[in-house]
Each structure stands twice: as C-alpha cells, then as structure tokens.
Amino acid sequence: MTAAYDNANIFAKILRGELPCEKVYDDEHVLAFMDIMPRADGHVLVIPKTPARNILDIDAAHLSQMMPSLQTVARAVKTGMQAEGLTLQQFTESAGGQVVFHLHFHILPRWEGVKLRPHTGDMEKPERLKDHAAKIRAAF
Ligand code: AMP
C-alpha cells in the first residue's frame, strides 16, 4: 500500500510559496522549476499542483490533465537548451530512488556523447541555474 501524502515535503512547501524555486513555467495543473542538483544542464522538474505522493496515488484525471503541460515544458527545455534529445525520469518510493514525496517528472536535456552526471548532491551555482532557466523560459 502507498503511504499517505505528507504536506510537509519540500515540493509542497515550494507550491505554497514557503520555499523559493527557479520557476520556468506554471499553469492551472503544473509547476516547473530548475532542479538544484542538476544531472544535466537545464534539468527541470515538473510537478502537479494537486497533492500526490507519486505515480501510484495520483488520480487518473489529474495525471492526464498534467501530461499536455509536461509536453509543453519538455519542448521548451529541448529548444531553450538546444538539446539533441531528452530523458524523462520518475522515481517511485525509496526503493525506486524517490527522495521527495510529491510526484515529479525529471526532464533532462541530452546531447550525443554527453553522459548524465552522477547524483552527487552538489548544488549548482545559482547564476548558472538562472542562466539555464532564462533560456528555457524564452523558448515557450
Ligand atoms: P527524486 O525524488 O529521487 O526524484 O529526487 C528529488 C530531486 O529533487 C533531486 O533531483 C533533487 O536534486 C531535487 N531537489 C531537491 N530539493 C530541491 C529544491 N528545493 N529545489 C529544486 N530541486 C530540488
């Protein structure tokens, strides 16, 4: 059974405006912002505005509502970062690699021959995050 949604998770705080984020897009259904420990330049997270722990508990209507927005953000990330491709990831529960328990999709810009960086926990410089975010915002 999936554990209950915890309102105190970091992304819930970002949604409530209690913590900052480098926002690239939002609409009725989703918020998209820069991952602070990017595994590729231009690494963006897309989260639903509805409370959902992960892919298992979000109701089908909310999941389908967020998909067109996910595609909109994916297109802007690819164009804005001049990427050759994208990798999308979604981790579910600790065993699946999930660390923050509000559903999120990772959008990772990819270039031929460029490997994803290891998840070291190193924070990106704020000015680099701002630079990448500006490129992505300009591509919507
Ligand atoms: P996971 O739950 O495994 O998909 O990982 C959570 C992701 O959220 C990681 O890629 C973190 O770098 C990222 N992250 C954690 N805290 C923040 C934050 N405050 N703002 C942006 N990204 C974050």
Side-chain angles (χ1 to χ4, degrees), residues 2 11-12 26 32 36 39 54-55 62 71 74 87 113 119 128 138:
T2 308
F11 295 168
D26 84 324
I36 49 170
R39 297 194 57 206
N54 56 42
I55 196 76
H62 281 112
Q71 182 187 45
T87 297
H119 198 31
R128 268 179 72 78

Side-chain angles (χ1 to χ4, degrees), residues 2 24 40 43 50 55 78 81 86 103 106 108 112 135:
T2 308
V24 294
H43 180 171
T50 190
I55 196 76
K78 183 172 180 294
M81 294 304 296
L86 299 171
L103 174 63
H106 296 255
L108 296 143
E112 291 297 340
K135 287 181 175 153

Side-chain angles (χ1 to χ4, degrees), residues 48-122:
K49 289 193 170 172
T50 190
R53 181 176 166 92
N54 56 42
I55 196 76
L56 300 174
D57 64 327
I58 188 169
D59 65 85
H62 281 112
L63 182 62
S64 47
Q65 278 170 346
M66 76 175 288
M67 282 299 139
S69 308
L70 183 66
Q71 182 187 45
T72 298
V73 179
R75 285 176 171 155
V77 169
K78 183 172 180 294
T79 303
M81 294 304 296
Q82 297 187 297
E84 293 164 352
L86 299 171
T87 297
L88 268 69
Q89 294 180 321
Q90 194 283 308
F91 303 116
T92 289
E93 298 300 331
S94 301
Q98 186 174 13
V99 176
V100 179
F101 293 95
H102 181 106
L103 174 63
H104 52 281
F105 290 86
H106 296 255
I107 302 178
L108 296 143
R110 303 301 303 272
W111 297 267
E112 291 297 340
V114 179
K115 290 194 173 132
L116 292 180
R117 296 191 283 268
H119 198 31
T120 55
D122 288 341

